Amino acid sequence: MTIQQFITAIPKSELHLHIEGSFEPELMFAIAQRNGIQLKYKSAAEVKEAYKFSNLQDFLDIYYAGAGVLLHEQDFYDLTRAYLLKCKEQNVVHTEIFFDPQTHTDRGVAFDTVINGIWRALREAEAEWGITSLLIMSYLRHLSEESAFETLQHGLRHKDKIVAVGLDSSEKGNPPSKFERVFAASREAGFLTVAHAGEEGPSEYIHEALNLLHVSRIDHGNRCLDDESLVQRLVEMKMPLTLCPLSNVALRVIQGMEEHPVKRMLDLGLRATIHSDDPAYFGGYMNENYLETARALHLTKEDVLQLVVNSFEAGFDSAAQKAKNIAAARAFYEAHKD
Ligand code: ADE
Ligand code: ZN
């Protein structure tokens, strides 16, 4: 079996996926039309043409505009269903999904509309396809602490549906310290925590995410490599780093896939994992992320197994479920390693 076939067929886990970032232009147009909203582009092809980014903010501006056509529970259901269908096609058996409530509540869409639509699609995918999933409520870091606290209040009404809180959006100038108190309140309420840190922002933000937000995973974390003692600390903590290679190329965090640090990170003993971030915007879902990385960095089947196992281990699902998925991935490797 070739490495490409191996990547495609091995059971995988996704831990860094923004549901709003899985909004494909074709579905965006269909939903805009039924909601009577005029997009500024004439066709899905024209939308894709606009997906040329110089940095994170360039992307975020387009991403928030796209999410603006989502109004009704059915819209959030359709968005989530389409992503889960990709998971089924790509042998992603477990996924932990970010949603950005403030992107919608700031436009007057009710929190319940958002989460109920997403939730219905998650439950159906588990019943129909056996795909397990968890939800992570992400605070937008360019907005105020007060707005994050309001979002937490909404999240508490749906505590049964949310496993963790996260931190995303414009990183530079919005350090983790801005959200220390709302993360403390979130942890007190029983949520686990994660945070985007060291994507565009400095390695200092990774220190803050560890020290002040007490995160269980760092999302991205590329910039840890600027600080040797931080790398040592992350290795000792076995801290997962949820890397997103195609995202890094699209947002110019790196200049090309050949520069991607994932292999170097594995060699340093870091618990690196691979995910898709915003697949509709960055040119691929889980398999494309693995395939492009493997091609550029000459990853072996052992490397891919390591990344897959790291991702299952770093999940927030039960120890029993993780053990079952890891055993399946290892069995797949044993059957197809030659
Ligand atoms: N929101 C969606 N994708 C993001 C990313 N890559 N970084 C920060 N915020 C995001
Ligand atoms: Zn992200």
Side-chain angles (χ1 to χ4, degrees), residues 281-301:
Y281 292 88
F282 301 150
Y285 289 76
M286 282 283 279
N287 283 350
E288 290 78 18
N289 271 277
Y290 271 92
L291 288 166
E292 285 290 307
T293 312
R295 183 192 53 75
L297 304 177
H298 311 291
L299 298 185
T300 62
K301 289 179 183 175

Side-chain angles (χ1 to χ4, degrees), residues 160-174:
D160 57 321
K161 304 183 187 71
I162 300 168
V163 69
V165 299
L167 186 64
D168 63 2
S169 193
S170 320
E171 187 179 10
K172 284 183 185 164
N174 294 298

Side-chain angles (χ1 to χ4, degrees), residues 94 96 132 134 163 312-322 325:
H94 178 70
E96 303 191 359
T132 57
L134 294 169
V163 69
F312 281 125
E313 282 177 348
F316 292 150
D317 48 339
S318 71
Q321 185 171 295
K322 295 202 278 194
N325 285 331

Side-chain angles (χ1 to χ4, degrees), residues 207-261:
H207 280 292
E208 283 193 11
L210 299 173
N211 297 340
L212 306 180
L213 308 187
H214 302 279
V215 294
S216 300
R217 302 194 292 248
I218 296 283
D219 295 312
H220 295 291
N222 299 48
R223 296 284 299 275
C224 75
L225 295 170
D226 298 345
D227 178 342
E228 243 175 72
S229 65
L230 174 59
V231 168
Q232 232 18 69
R233 183 178 180 197
L234 293 166
V235 169
E236 276 159 26
M237 293 178 86
K238 298 191 165 70
M239 180 60 57
L241 305 179
T242 65
L243 304 171
C244 304
L246 284 172
S247 165
N248 292 159
V249 174
L251 301 186
R252 316 265 186 102
V253 168
I254 51 175
Q255 297 318 307
M257 196 59 95
E258 289 70 20
E259 274 181 33
H260 200 275

Side-chain angles (χ1 to χ4, degrees), residues 22-39:
S22 71
F23 203 5
E24 292 287 347
E26 290 77 11
L27 183 60
M28 195 184 289
F29 262 83
I31 292 180
Q33 191 162 28
R34 77 186 185 209
N35 287 344
I37 296 171
Q38 186 72 43
L39 284 167

Side-chain angles (χ1 to χ4, degrees), residues 18 56 59-60 63 168-169 196 199 220 247 251 277-278:
H18 302 265
L56 175 58
F59 154 70
L60 289 170
Y63 161 89
D168 63 2
S169 193
H196 285 54
E199 179 186 16
H220 295 291
S247 165
L251 301 186
D277 206 5
D278 301 284

Side-chain angles (χ1 to χ4, degrees), residues 65-84:
V69 308
L70 299 163
L71 297 181
H72 307 295
E73 189 183 309
Q74 186 66 34
D75 304 341
F76 291 92
Y77 169 87
D78 289 345
L79 171 69
T80 310
R81 174 89 179 170
Y83 164 66
L84 291 162

